[in-house]
Amino acid sequence: MKKFTLLAASALILAGSAQAALEKSPFFYQEDFNEMAKDNDRVTDGWLSKGVDSEPANDANIRMYFGTLDVSDPSNPVYGAPYYNNTLLQNDGSSYAFLNTCYPSGVEVNEWLISPEFDMPYDDAMLTFDLVNYAIPDWVAQTTATGYTAPFKIMVSAGGTDAADFTEIYSNSPSVKFATDNTPIGSTTYVIPISGFGGKKIRIALNVTTPNIGMVGFTNIQVGQYAMSYANSTQTVAQNGDEIAVRVNIGLKTPVACPGVYAKLEYDGKVVEKTYKKKFGDQTGKYAFQLMTFNDPMIKIADDKSVDYTLTVIPQMQDENGETMAEADILPTVISGSIVCATKFFPNNVVMEEATATGCGWCPRGIGAAQYYTDLMAQRRQELGVTDENDGPKFIPIMIHSNMNYSDPMNQGVQLYVSSFTADNGGGLPMASFSRSLFKQDPSALKAFQSVFNSDAIYQSKIKFAYNNSNSASTDVTIGDEVCVVYSIETGFTVDMTNLAAAVVFLENDVQGYESGYTQENYLSRYNSSSSIGASGIPDQYYKRFFAGGELGVADIPFNKMVYQEVARGIWPDYYGQDLNSGFTSEVPKEFKISFTVPENLINLDIKDNLANDKFDVVVLIIDNSTHEIVASDKMNFAKALQLGESVTGIAADEAIRIERAGRNISVAAPAAVKVALYAADGKALGNYADANGNLLINADDFNGVVIVKAETADKNVSTKLVF
């Protein structure tokens, strides 16, 4: 069959299947706070909190705990919104319940988050949860330092909710750093046995007794007879006639001895049973893993039909006498999956996201490599008989300029893009990823490019058109306008649901340095061949202008002589995209749309200019939610996208109310006259606003912490939480 990459093979997430790692089951109690966070900013539904909470002991604590300390006038603190114990915060689709440990050193702290009661049917069970950290930005700004997660305890009570009612079952002092921004980081999964509470109603609690410079919380709490994580690496898309082995790697943690697992595979009326021997019990805090492979017989794809299968896994746990428990006494884990029969594959685009910067001595290496990859892709289109350059396959470079401790007109407004990219790829310049399937690559890594270039894809995306969503009657677009990009996704298979996300990137070309005092370092200036600079395989002609004797072959290139292309001006809604969660019919394109506000960090125009020119491009990225790999993409000149939008009749502004954080502002866009009310996390009113045209930009300089934004028109209302 045709070769396709892991990013294509792992991209499909079917309803009921289990592709993602660390899905734990079975369980008889769980809480991820997602439903609770939809309507609340503090934990409810039987959860309790105890501790200092909203009443610090004195004015000094108020300044340190609740507000930003104005260092120019310490006697006049600027108060911010409080972070209470049992605050619920959301980030990247997940919800977290937090304890606030942000108190001055020496303050007595005894903070608790206590669950509702639930039944514990077994004497021996497993608790799993994700510990998370949150850096309170005002405190970090005062300390100008990172901090570490406070020591924590996990407690269990079979009675009341007083501290004396609880028994400690686990304690830890993790060396997990807080970041210096307000993003939960360092999520760590803990797996802890619970023993001696069978047949009782119990509560579990997170307890912290040490002050810290942030917040400590948890989520994804599950209690079950045992804990299991699994990653299903079975091929999900195949062609007619292929034979596929089912491969599932399970991680198991049991409270008692367990010498193996029984597994049963069922598909098309067939049953295959196997027993895998491995010691699973008595593992301290970590999963023991076992790869289960069913390749005799393999599943054969025939008659252009997809195949559904289930894999039932039952641990062979032992009682106190060493006897294997009856299968009927152990809860099974059932893993479902499907192998979809694809009828069509697509040439693969290659997206290269590169962290670069003015002043990076090796960054000219990426400029030359990008030109070479562009030519290779043009050659591929010629081989395929593609005459329109707007059709694929395409090479899509995205240059994400990082800050090198001085003003760079290329790095303004992309700090979040840079930080997200760096989280995947680490530091160092230049640094590239190819379609987010190959990370931590040099941009001149030809083999990394070729691994995506030489593959076929199971998705194809096309930009259809763009239009001005702020004023649908206008053909002009300028800074501050909201643009809607309409795009399609086509698949070579039929499926009820996929787990995809989409993001849009806005690019600016012909970006030229304008301050004469800056220079672009050029480490290539001492060489005269690409192999000498570690770019083996890329012809010298792509670098000769940077080499000694070339047009730009000096160690310090004057900044105003460097002209940069494909400069990222932002990514919306963020690096990981907005969820699509849609089904597809084979070879039938399905349309979607995504909106963004034209940013202010553009060089080639002032605020009155129209962006409908050839210096700007728009890129759509289709992302696999489970792996964050780019599985489809497209790029179009922005002016052309707007021109195509003019020919589409009936375009009107979106009818939704959109609330977004825009720097230190709150942006509200509605289709009609809108009223907006702001509240702190404790319910305190922060202000009321209104606009007859439905558009508000509210200054949030005086807000800190969680801000609840409620917006309503005559027939619509929406509420959301933003963090400042």
Side-chain angles (χ1 to χ4, degrees), residues 511-526:
V511 179
Q512 187 168 2
Y514 52 80
E515 295 192 36
S516 59
Y518 295 159
T519 59
Q520 167 71 59
E521 292 183 70
N522 177 23
Y523 294 169
L524 280 59
S525 62
R526 68 195 75 166

mmCIF file of all heavy atoms in Angstrom, residues 511-526:
data_model
loop_
_atom_site.group_PDB
_atom_site.id
_atom_site.type_symbol
_atom_site.label_atom_id
_atom_site.label_comp_id
_atom_site.label_asym_id
_atom_site.label_seq_id
_atom_site.Cartn_x
_atom_site.Cartn_y
_atom_site.Cartn_z
ATOM 1 N N VAL A 511 9.421 41.608 5.117
ATOM 2 C CA VAL A 511 9.621 42.341 6.364
ATOM 3 C C VAL A 511 11.099 42.720 6.451
ATOM 4 O O VAL A 511 11.974 41.866 6.470
ATOM 5 C CB VAL A 511 9.207 41.491 7.580
ATOM 6 C CG1 VAL A 511 9.439 42.267 8.857
ATOM 7 C CG2 VAL A 511 7.753 41.080 7.458
ATOM 8 N N GLN A 512 11.360 44.001 6.515
ATOM 9 C CA GLN A 512 12.730 44.497 6.452
ATOM 10 C C GLN A 512 13.095 45.234 7.731
ATOM 11 O O GLN A 512 12.289 45.978 8.276
ATOM 12 C CB GLN A 512 12.884 45.439 5.258
ATOM 13 C CG GLN A 512 14.319 45.867 5.004
ATOM 14 C CD GLN A 512 14.462 46.551 3.654
ATOM 15 O OE1 GLN A 512 13.496 46.727 2.941
ATOM 16 N NE2 GLN A 512 15.679 46.925 3.308
ATOM 17 N N GLY A 513 14.290 44.988 8.218
ATOM 18 C CA GLY A 513 14.772 45.716 9.378
ATOM 19 C C GLY A 513 14.863 47.203 9.093
ATOM 20 O O GLY A 513 15.217 47.609 7.996
ATOM 21 N N TYR A 514 14.577 48.018 10.092
ATOM 22 C CA TYR A 514 14.501 49.448 9.833
ATOM 23 C C TYR A 514 15.339 50.292 10.766
ATOM 24 O O TYR A 514 15.384 51.512 10.629
ATOM 25 C CB TYR A 514 13.049 49.929 9.910
ATOM 26 C CG TYR A 514 12.330 49.532 11.171
ATOM 27 C CD1 TYR A 514 12.498 50.232 12.359
ATOM 28 C CD2 TYR A 514 11.478 48.433 11.170
ATOM 29 C CE1 TYR A 514 11.838 49.866 13.501
ATOM 30 C CE2 TYR A 514 10.809 48.055 12.319
ATOM 31 C CZ TYR A 514 10.989 48.769 13.478
ATOM 32 O OH TYR A 514 10.334 48.388 14.612
ATOM 33 N N GLU A 515 16.020 49.701 11.730
ATOM 34 C CA GLU A 515 16.868 50.489 12.630
ATOM 35 C C GLU A 515 18.322 50.187 12.291
ATOM 36 O O GLU A 515 18.777 49.063 12.417
ATOM 37 C CB GLU A 515 16.549 50.169 14.091
ATOM 38 C CG GLU A 515 15.129 50.583 14.474
ATOM 39 C CD GLU A 515 14.909 50.533 15.974
ATOM 40 O OE1 GLU A 515 15.853 50.862 16.707
ATOM 41 O OE2 GLU A 515 13.808 50.169 16.395
ATOM 42 N N SER A 516 19.032 51.182 11.869
ATOM 43 C CA SER A 516 20.365 50.983 11.294
ATOM 44 C C SER A 516 21.360 50.412 12.281
ATOM 45 O O SER A 516 22.380 49.856 11.889
ATOM 46 C CB SER A 516 20.879 52.314 10.732
ATOM 47 O OG SER A 516 20.946 53.293 11.761
ATOM 48 N N GLY A 517 21.097 50.548 13.572
ATOM 49 C CA GLY A 517 22.055 50.070 14.558
ATOM 50 C C GLY A 517 22.086 48.562 14.727
ATOM 51 O O GLY A 517 23.000 48.028 15.342
ATOM 52 N N TYR A 518 21.096 47.848 14.201
ATOM 53 C CA TYR A 518 21.030 46.403 14.384
ATOM 54 C C TYR A 518 21.712 45.682 13.225
ATOM 55 O O TYR A 518 21.792 46.195 12.114
ATOM 56 C CB TYR A 518 19.579 45.939 14.459
ATOM 57 C CG TYR A 518 18.830 46.462 15.656
ATOM 58 C CD1 TYR A 518 17.440 46.500 15.650
ATOM 59 C CD2 TYR A 518 19.488 46.910 16.788
ATOM 60 C CE1 TYR A 518 16.729 46.979 16.732
ATOM 61 C CE2 TYR A 518 18.792 47.387 17.875
ATOM 62 C CZ TYR A 518 17.414 47.428 17.844
ATOM 63 O OH TYR A 518 16.720 47.897 18.912
ATOM 64 N N THR A 519 22.184 44.500 13.500
ATOM 65 C CA THR A 519 22.763 43.665 12.453
ATOM 66 C C THR A 519 22.243 42.245 12.593
ATOM 67 O O THR A 519 21.851 41.815 13.674
ATOM 68 C CB THR A 519 24.297 43.627 12.523
ATOM 69 O OG1 THR A 519 24.686 43.110 13.801
ATOM 70 C CG2 THR A 519 24.890 45.010 12.324
ATOM 71 N N GLN A 520 22.239 41.529 11.469
ATOM 72 C CA GLN A 520 21.927 40.101 11.468
ATOM 73 C C GLN A 520 23.250 39.359 11.447
ATOM 74 O O GLN A 520 24.024 39.467 10.488
ATOM 75 C CB GLN A 520 21.095 39.734 10.241
ATOM 76 C CG GLN A 520 20.999 38.234 9.989
ATOM 77 C CD GLN A 520 20.146 37.510 11.011
ATOM 78 O OE1 GLN A 520 18.977 37.824 11.161
ATOM 79 N NE2 GLN A 520 20.718 36.540 11.706
ATOM 80 N N GLU A 521 23.544 38.646 12.520
ATOM 81 C CA GLU A 521 24.778 37.871 12.543
ATOM 82 C C GLU A 521 24.727 36.807 11.454
ATOM 83 O O GLU A 521 23.664 36.307 11.103
ATOM 84 C CB GLU A 521 24.973 37.228 13.918
ATOM 85 C CG GLU A 521 25.254 38.239 15.019
ATOM 86 C CD GLU A 521 25.521 37.561 16.350
ATOM 87 O OE1 GLU A 521 26.578 36.926 16.484
ATOM 88 O OE2 GLU A 521 24.666 37.661 17.246
ATOM 89 N N ASN A 522 25.880 36.439 10.949
ATOM 90 C CA ASN A 522 25.954 35.483 9.855
ATOM 91 C C ASN A 522 27.156 34.575 10.055
ATOM 92 O O ASN A 522 28.260 34.866 9.602
ATOM 93 C CB ASN A 522 26.055 36.237 8.512
ATOM 94 C CG ASN A 522 26.197 35.282 7.339
ATOM 95 O OD1 ASN A 522 25.816 34.122 7.426
ATOM 96 N ND2 ASN A 522 26.746 35.775 6.236
ATOM 97 N N TYR A 523 26.933 33.456 10.754
ATOM 98 C CA TYR A 523 28.017 32.511 10.992
ATOM 99 C C TYR A 523 28.420 31.775 9.716
ATOM 100 O O TYR A 523 29.467 31.133 9.664
ATOM 101 C CB TYR A 523 27.600 31.483 12.045
ATOM 102 C CG TYR A 523 27.385 32.053 13.427
ATOM 103 C CD1 TYR A 523 26.783 31.290 14.418
ATOM 104 C CD2 TYR A 523 27.784 33.339 13.752
ATOM 105 C CE1 TYR A 523 26.572 31.797 15.695
ATOM 106 C CE2 TYR A 523 27.587 33.853 15.021
ATOM 107 C CZ TYR A 523 26.975 33.076 15.989
ATOM 108 O OH TYR A 523 26.766 33.577 17.250
ATOM 109 N N LEU A 524 27.583 31.853 8.669
ATOM 110 C CA LEU A 524 27.885 31.177 7.418
ATOM 111 C C LEU A 524 28.984 31.900 6.643
ATOM 112 O O LEU A 524 29.534 31.366 5.682
ATOM 113 C CB LEU A 524 26.636 31.086 6.535
ATOM 114 C CG LEU A 524 25.620 29.984 6.845
ATOM 115 C CD1 LEU A 524 25.073 30.089 8.252
ATOM 116 C CD2 LEU A 524 24.474 30.005 5.838
ATOM 117 N N SER A 525 29.309 33.125 7.041
ATOM 118 C CA SER A 525 30.222 33.968 6.264
ATOM 119 C C SER A 525 31.635 33.404 6.194
ATOM 120 O O SER A 525 32.414 33.799 5.331
ATOM 121 C CB SER A 525 30.265 35.370 6.861
ATOM 122 O OG SER A 525 30.756 35.336 8.194
ATOM 123 N N ARG A 526 31.967 32.487 7.086
ATOM 124 C CA ARG A 526 33.328 31.938 7.084
ATOM 125 C C ARG A 526 33.443 30.668 6.232
ATOM 126 O O ARG A 526 34.501 30.069 6.161
ATOM 127 C CB ARG A 526 33.746 31.648 8.515
ATOM 128 C CG ARG A 526 32.977 30.512 9.165
ATOM 129 C CD ARG A 526 33.143 30.465 10.666
ATOM 130 N NE ARG A 526 32.362 31.518 11.318
ATOM 131 C CZ ARG A 526 32.115 31.530 12.630
ATOM 132 N NH1 ARG A 526 32.605 30.590 13.407
ATOM 133 N NH2 ARG A 526 31.400 32.490 13.159
#
